[in-house]
């Protein structure tokens, strides 16, 4: 309950509700015109964006059913010619515009679980992401270094180093794949878009979802607006709009 004490989206939503009620109460005396209607629409949208019950439903629709653990369960025999693609995630640029790739929390989890999967499947570990520069490694280069520190031999790692988007990641990764099975590792919420791109490119990828963001144990708290829900809504909108844009461009199907 401590997270409800500092200024939060809940307090902002309550303030918006009060303003909306006041606007409707005094709409004729003050001649507010469409203001009450606009405030009502804004209040409803704010409630939708900050209530876990709503935003969690959107995230769950993208991620699919939760597995027993933190990731999908894979039962596979080692395949020397197979491949594990780990899609990078992180910051690409400094505020001043200089290339400075670094993994974010999602990227770390994707890489960690991708290496664990590679230990079971064998083959080539393909890491993606750029842009890098003369003094900075690419995102893929950073991932390669970390993977080697985790025990993956350098000659079993391939890098797609110039990509900046999911589509570019998979375009660059395609020539690096072996003849065996291909596993695709990315955040569960990002998997629908990544698989849609894979299908468009003719990559028969098997999904390996990590970094689940939906609520595993739903309680009454899902109806109390909180700060995390706004970020969850932004992620869901990013993926839904991103998939529509990719299909419009012909990058996904």
């Amino acid at each position: 309950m401590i997270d409800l004490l500092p200024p939060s989206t809940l307090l902002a939503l309550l303030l918006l509700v009060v303003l909306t009620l006041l606007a409707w109460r005094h709409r004729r005396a003050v001649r507010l015109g469409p203001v009450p209607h606009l405030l009502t629409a804004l209040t409803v949208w704010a409630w939708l964006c900050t209530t876990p019950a709503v935003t969690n439903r959107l995230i769950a629709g993208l991620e699919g059913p939760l597995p027993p653990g933190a990731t999908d369960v894979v039962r596979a025999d080692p395949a020397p010619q197979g491949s594990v693609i780990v899609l990078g995630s992180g910051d690409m640029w400094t505020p001043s515009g200089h290339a400075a790739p670094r993994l974010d929390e999602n990227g770390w989890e994707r890489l960690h679980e991708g290496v664990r999967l590679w230990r079971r499947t064998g083959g080539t570990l393909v890491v993606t992401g750029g842009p890098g520069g003369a003094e900075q490694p690419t995102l893929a280069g950073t991932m390669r270094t970390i993977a080697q520190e985790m025990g993956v031999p350098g000659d079993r790692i391939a890098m797609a180093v110039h990509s900046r988007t999911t589509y570019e990641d998979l375009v660059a990764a395609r020539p690096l794949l072996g003849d065996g099975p291909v596993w695709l590792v990315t955040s569960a919420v990002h998997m629908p878009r990544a698989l849609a791109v894979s299908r468009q490119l003719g990559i028969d990828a098997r999904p390996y979802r990590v970094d689940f963001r939906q609520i595993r144990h739903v309680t009454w708290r899902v109806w109390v607006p909180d700060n995390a829900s706004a970020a969850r809504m932004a992620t869901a909108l990013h993926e839904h709009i991103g998939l529509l844009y990719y299909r419009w461009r012909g990058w996904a199907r």
Side-chain angles (χ1 to χ4, degrees), residues 100-169:
R102 66 181 184 86
L103 290 175
D104 58 16
E105 182 179 354
N106 306 325
W108 276 99
E109 184 159 354
R110 294 180 191 182
L111 180 58
H112 179 264
E113 295 301 329
V115 170
R116 290 182 61 189
L117 174 62
W118 174 87
R119 290 185 182 132
R120 294 198 294 274
T121 62
T124 302
L125 181 69
V126 181
V127 293
T128 70
E135 299 180 357
Q136 292 285 346
T138 62
L139 199 63
T142 300
M143 295 169 72
R144 174 191 171 94
T145 299
I146 297 169
Q148 286 182 283
E149 292 173 351
M150 295 173 67
V152 183
D155 61 355
R156 306 297 293 276
I157 304 174
M159 297 189 298
V161 297
H162 299 299
S163 53
R164 305 183 186 186
T165 66
T166 301
Y167 177 73
E168 292 177 357
D169 280 345

Side-chain angles (χ1 to χ4, degrees), residues 231-247:
R232 194 178 289 117
M233 174 64 84
T235 297
L237 292 176
H238 176 82
E239 290 303 326
H240 281 297
I241 295 173
L243 183 55
L244 290 174
Y245 175 74
Y246 272 36
R247 285 174 174 164

